[in-house]
Structures are given as structure tokens and as C-alpha cells.
Amino acid sequence: MAQVPQTFFDALAVRSWCGLALDALGRAREEIDAINVYPVADGDTGTNLYLTVESAAAAVEAVFEGHEAGGNPGPGPGPGPTLADAVHAMAHGALIGARGNSGTILAQLLRGMAQVLAGDETAGRADGRGLRLALRQAADSARQAVAHPVEGTVLTVASAAADAAGAAEGDCGAVARAAHEGARAALAETPDRLAVLRRAGVVDAGGRGLVAVLAALVATFTGETPRDLHARVDAGAGPHRDAAGCADGAAVPESEGPAFEVIYLLEAGDTAVARLRERLDRLGDSLVVVGGDGLWNVHVHVDDAGAAVEAGVEAGRPYRIRITHFGAGDVHTTGAGRAPGERAERAVVAVVPGEGLAELYTQAGATTVLARPGEPPASGELVEAVRRAHAREVVLLPNDAELRHTAAAAAEQVRAEGVRAALIPTRSAIQGIAALAVHEPGRRFDEDVVSMTSAAGATRYAEVTVAERQSWTMAGICQAGDILGLVDGDVAVIGQDVTATAEAVLDRMLAGGGELVTLVLGDDAPESVAAHLEGRVRAGHLAVDTVVYHGGRQGAVLLIGVE
């Protein structure tokens, strides 16, 4: 879709910027990964920046979709999301989705901008002056978040962008252009400030990503995309893969560096986080702590990963904990940087909505990615799961129609790493179970994919869930609290009782015949519903078998499949 240039910063401009920045980082991801030499040469800065912006963009889209579902599509202080709504969502999405040091610093840059742009909750838009102030706050807050700032990194590029914007006159387009040019000039000078970049013949990878994000800001306000600076400053030089680094603004380790990267989200107060910073700074390096208002994203490189997590437990409640062992080759590298050891020939990677189903899939040999209610996985999580599977060939089961594009992006990325990948467009975990049931790793890859695709396609799926709000459906108007029966994604039954609604849905599905009924119970399902439905199948369809699984906290009260 063509982007309409904006002359001021409002909610629509935030939405456009996120989309354009995601596109820009998607195009530049491999280039940025390839020049990632500081301070850990893990080849993932472009990917981390992409995943961070992907999370920010998804959060902004959710805000717009929420208003559109309520009949209020317009931006501004009236109907629809305000500028404050949009920038808060952008900053929060980036914070919870930040990956690596580079992504964590970008999240703080966006948070700093949001603090200024959302300062007046009644304002529907910001002008050039507001953007200048936002870019200044972004650069300053990012620098404060890094324990030991180093020049020649993304921090330098951000400060240069803010300086140039501060000297600019005019509307948001003029300010954005100035910020981009200032950042671009500073990026070209990063090899002069950091010897590791000069030896590798590249510019700073994190700074390169920020320039792409600022180019998207220019395009948002002018409709024109500025030209990029070439990432390599010496055409004959290539990235020095033995350098110790991770393309961010933290200090260069004096030795080979700590063995582990530890990242987690943390719920804690300001005082506890201040103590945590001091403790983690003594434990390791590359320390970045961003966030505020009780929610923080913590990133550090340490030799004692357990101690870093324990420090988080003492400070508050850490979760989404990720520990990467650099020495074991677990870093997100491409191609030859894979972990040593024999690869499996073929693996299945599946997204599942509940812990019970995750256990079921795991027992069947699949590598799983848990999709918690309201927290769909990003493409990077699927890529990480493929890497854990460590196979030459991978079959992806998204198990959700809305995750098809996410899974496709993951498949494209792992193919670039030498993995043969196929995506089966399963729209429900029920279809994924059917596909997994006929999976045979011993046969040819194409034959296995065809067989799994056929089994999934021959499985009708349904779910019984509780309506969250009043809305129009294919079956009429539902009220909050009504029990909805969805068949193949569309509301077919509106009821007041879970068992009665499930029975009506099952009868509709079996009207066209079937051989096997699969029931997956959520935590909120009545204890008697499975036995009731099994009895109904036996009474009316003698040749049809029924299997029952427990999915745990899976969002829907009940999942139903008919093969």
C-alpha cells in the first residue's frame, strides 16, 4: 500500500513510520548482520533490530485494530488512537520485543521519543519543534541506559542525529531530513572512532540500522526515501569475524569477553533497578537496562548466567529469560556459524497455544514455540526454534491463519542460512496435530510435506470461546460474555452455555461426515464437556472415534477437529 506523506507527527504517522522502518530493516538485515563486529561478532544486529521494530509495529497495529473494531478508525484526540496512544504502544512493543544490545538501545530511543511526543495527552499531533525535542530526549535517554557508553557506536549516531535536528528549522519533514543527514555523516566516521571497525573496514552495525530507521522517518513525512550509506568503507575489506563485539554502545571487553548473553524482562521499581545495575555491572559487561514505569528490559554479558538471573529475582520479577552461550555456538549466526555437532535430517517446528499441547507436540517429536493469549510469537522466535531443532530440513506449522506471514518470513530467513524449509499453512493446532500424525522423516521431503499438507487440509477445525465485547458476527450480534462457536474461523453459533454450544458446533461439523473427532480442552472447560461430547459422537456416529487432549491455558475454552 502506498504511504501518504505526513507534514506533522500524529498517530497515522507513527503507524506509517513503523511499517516503513520494518521494510527498510528487512531489506538491510543481511547487510547489517554481515558487518556486525563489535563488541561480539555474532552476526545478528540486523536481525535483532528487525525483530525489535517488528514488535513495535505489531503493538501499534493492535491499537489501530482495537479502535477500528469499535467503529473509531480515525486518528487524533477524537475517535481513534491519539498520538499518545500510538507512541506509547510503539515504545512498549519495542521494549517487550527488544533483542540483543542493539535492539535494546533502539527500544530506549523509541521510549525517549514517546516521552516527549506523549507529553500532552490531549494533543493529536506534534510539529517540527516537537520532533526536535523527541530526538534529543531519545539520544540522551539511550546514552543514560548504557552502563559504559563508547563513541563510534549507535549512541554516537543518535546524538549526531539529535544535534542536526536541533539546528534545523521547519516542519517534521525538514527536521527528519536533518536528523538523517546528521546520523549518516556520523555513521561514516564511526571507523575513525573505533579501531575494531577500522580494521574490519565497516561502519558500526547498530548505527547503520538507526540510519535506516531515520530514512524511514524521512519517507513518512516527505514520501521520499534518502539514499543509504554503503556499509563497507573499504571495498576490499570484509568483517573481521574474530573481533569481540555485538554492534552496540557498550564498552569493548578487554579479553575475549564473557561466555553468556543474558536478557530478560523485569517488573521492578526504580530503586531496585538502580541496585540491579550496580550488581550486574560488577558481574559482566555490555550492560544495558532500558524501560521505566515498573517494566524494564535487561541485557548483559556475563560468565555466571545464574548470578545475573538471581540478581533479577532479587530486584523484582524477571520473565522471558533468554540465555545465549557464545562459546557453544548458540549465537544467532548465519551459515558456517552454526553450533557444532551432527544435524538431524528433518524436524517439525510448530506454534502451539497452550502448555498441554506443547507437551503433546514435543512427545511427537516437534520443536515448539508457545503462543500465549495476546502474545503471538514474532518471526525471530520461529527462527530461533528452527536453530534449536538443528536439522537440514524443517517443516513449519504456524497453526494460526494470522501467523502465516510470520512463519513465511521465518522460512525465508532460515533458507538463507542453508536450511531447506517448507511452510504448511495450518490454521489451528488441530490441523497441526493431523499433519504431525502422518509425518514420516524417512521419506522424501517433498512427499512428506505433501502428505502433511493433505492431512491438515482434510481436517475441519472449530473452537469454543467467550466473547470479549459486543460485535457483529456471521451468526448475528453477540454480547460480551456470550459463548461463541467458530467453525473454520467464522462464528457459527452464539450460545450461553459451553457444553450446549460445543454440541451444536460438533453436530454441524459431523453433518458432512468424518472418521475422527479431536477435542482439546482448555483450563476453563467444564469437567463434563469431554464426556458429554464423546457420548454424543458414540450415539450418533458409530464409526467415528474420539480422542481428548488437555491444552492448558490456550485462550479458547475448547478446540474441536474433525478428520
Side-chain angles (χ1 to χ4, degrees):
M1 182 188 301
Q3 299 286 342
V4 179
Q6 304 283 320
T7 57
F8 45 78
F9 220 149
D10 62 1
L12 282 176
V14 175
R15 187 186 203 181
S16 297
W17 182 31
C18 287
L20 290 168
L22 190 62
D23 289 344
L25 288 172
R27 292 191 301 271
R29 179 184 61 78
E30 291 184 3
E31 174 198 346
I32 297 172
D33 283 346
I35 64 170
N36 176 191
V37 298
Y38 169 75
V40 177
D42 49 3
D44 66 354
T45 292
T47 299
N48 286 338
L49 290 169
Y50 179 87
L51 295 175
T52 302
V53 174
E54 182 181 50
S55 182
V60 173
E61 285 302 315
V63 167
F64 273 86
E65 289 171 3
H67 280 271
E68 289 165 1
N72 298 318
T82 63
L83 174 60
D85 293 333
V87 294
H88 277 314
M90 175 184 69
H92 181 74
L95 178 67
I96 65 173
R99 303 300 180 92
N101 242 351
S102 52
T104 306
I105 291 173
L106 178 60
Q108 187 67 8
L109 288 167
L110 297 179
R111 176 179 171 80
M113 292 187 69
Q115 289 173 334
V116 171
L117 296 173
D120 183 357
E121 295 285 345
T122 63
R125 63 189 191 184
D127 56 13
R129 176 180 178 276
L131 181 56
R132 288 196 298 271
L133 295 175
L135 290 169
R136 181 77 270 161
Q137 176 64 16
D140 293 346
S141 62
R143 187 171 289 270
Q144 292 165 7
V146 176
H148 302 286
V150 169
E151 297 305 326
T153 66
V154 63
L155 298 178
T156 302
V157 176
S159 294
D163 291 343
E169 298 291 341
D171 62 11
C172 288
V175 173
R177 277 198 187 95
H180 175 262
E181 285 302 316
R184 193 170 178 275
L187 178 65
E189 296 173 357
T190 55
D192 298 329
R193 292 172 175 258
L194 270 182
V196 65
L197 301 178
R198 185 167 59 254
R199 288 195 301 269
V202 298
V203 296
D204 178 66
R208 171 67 180 85
L210 179 58
V211 169
V213 171
L214 291 173
L217 187 64
V218 175
T220 298
F221 294 119
T222 69
E224 302 171 359
T225 302
R227 62 191 179 94
D228 279 336
L229 174 74
H230 202 281
R232 300 192 188 278
V233 295
D234 179 356
H240 182 58
R241 285 294 174 189
D242 294 328
C246 169
D248 55 57
V252 183
E254 294 180 0
S255 63
E256 293 182 358
F260 297 96
E261 177 186 57
V262 178
I263 306 172
Y264 50 79
L265 290 179
L266 177 70
E267 293 179 355
D270 291 358
T271 303
V273 169
R275 291 195 298 268
L276 175 66
R277 288 179 192 268
E278 294 178 0
R279 182 170 176 182
L280 292 179
D281 194 27
R282 292 194 298 269
L283 284 174
D285 58 39
S286 297
L287 174 61
V288 186
V289 181
V290 304
D293 302 321
L295 180 63
W296 310 82
N297 192 308
V298 179
H299 175 286
V300 67
H301 293 175
V302 293
D303 282 319
D304 189 344
V309 175
E310 288 173 9
V313 172
E314 292 180 8
R317 186 178 79 88
Y319 59 103
R320 290 195 185 179
I321 300 169
R322 299 187 191 92
I323 300 175
T324 299
H325 184 193
F326 293 126
D330 293 336
V331 179
H332 307 167
T333 55
T334 60
R338 287 186 170 277
E342 186 68 24
R343 283 198 200 183
E345 185 62 32
R346 189 174 307 158
V348 175
V349 172
V351 180
V352 290
E355 292 85 351
L357 276 176
E359 183 177 353
L360 173 67
Y361 271 74
T362 300
Q363 290 173 352
T367 299
T368 61
V369 177
L370 191 62
R372 297 175 177 84
E375 295 183 15
S379 62
E381 292 178 70
L382 300 186
V383 171
E384 289 174 3
V386 171
R387 288 169 176 153
R388 289 200 311 272
H390 202 53
R392 295 182 178 86
E393 301 170 340
V394 173
V395 179
L396 289 169
L397 304 176
N399 292 340
D400 186 331
E402 295 185 0
L403 289 177
R404 180 172 181 176
H405 294 300
T406 300
E412 180 180 354
Q413 183 171 334
V414 300
R415 288 185 192 117
E417 299 178 6
V419 178
R420 188 179 186 187
L423 169 63
I424 297 178
T426 48
R427 294 173 289 175
S428 166
I430 294 288
Q431 289 188 323
I433 290 173
L436 198 56
V438 300
H439 168 55
E440 292 186 15
R443 65 184 164 197
R444 291 178 58 244
F445 183 69
D446 291 339
E447 292 177 358
D448 198 28
V449 171
V450 169
S451 178
M452 295 175 73
T453 303
S454 297
T459 302
R460 299 191 70 196
Y461 65 96
E463 67 177 77
V464 177
T465 189
V466 180
E468 296 182 355
R469 64 178 72 88
Q470 182 188 58
S471 60
W472 292 88
T473 75
M474 297 286 288
I477 301 176
C478 73
Q479 305 296 326
D482 282 350
I483 307 300
L484 305 180
L486 291 82
V487 177
D488 294 337
D490 292 323
V491 176
V493 180
I494 299 175
Q496 302 300 315
D497 176 76
V498 170
T499 301
T501 302
E503 180 182 299
V505 168
L506 184 57
D507 287 346
R508 285 190 181 217
M509 297 178 74
L510 286 172
E515 298 176 355
L516 176 67
V517 170
T518 302
L519 305 175
V520 181
L521 307 178
D523 284 343
D524 297 329
E527 293 183 3
S528 61
V529 66
H532 180 85
L533 296 177
E534 284 184 281
R536 189 166 185 85
V537 172
R538 284 196 303 270
H541 307 272
L542 295 177
V544 179
D545 294 325
T546 304
V547 294
V548 179
Y549 302 111
H550 292 272
R553 185 171 173 262
Q554 62 185 22
V557 177
L558 174 69
L559 301 177
I560 304 173
V562 173
E563 298 179 45

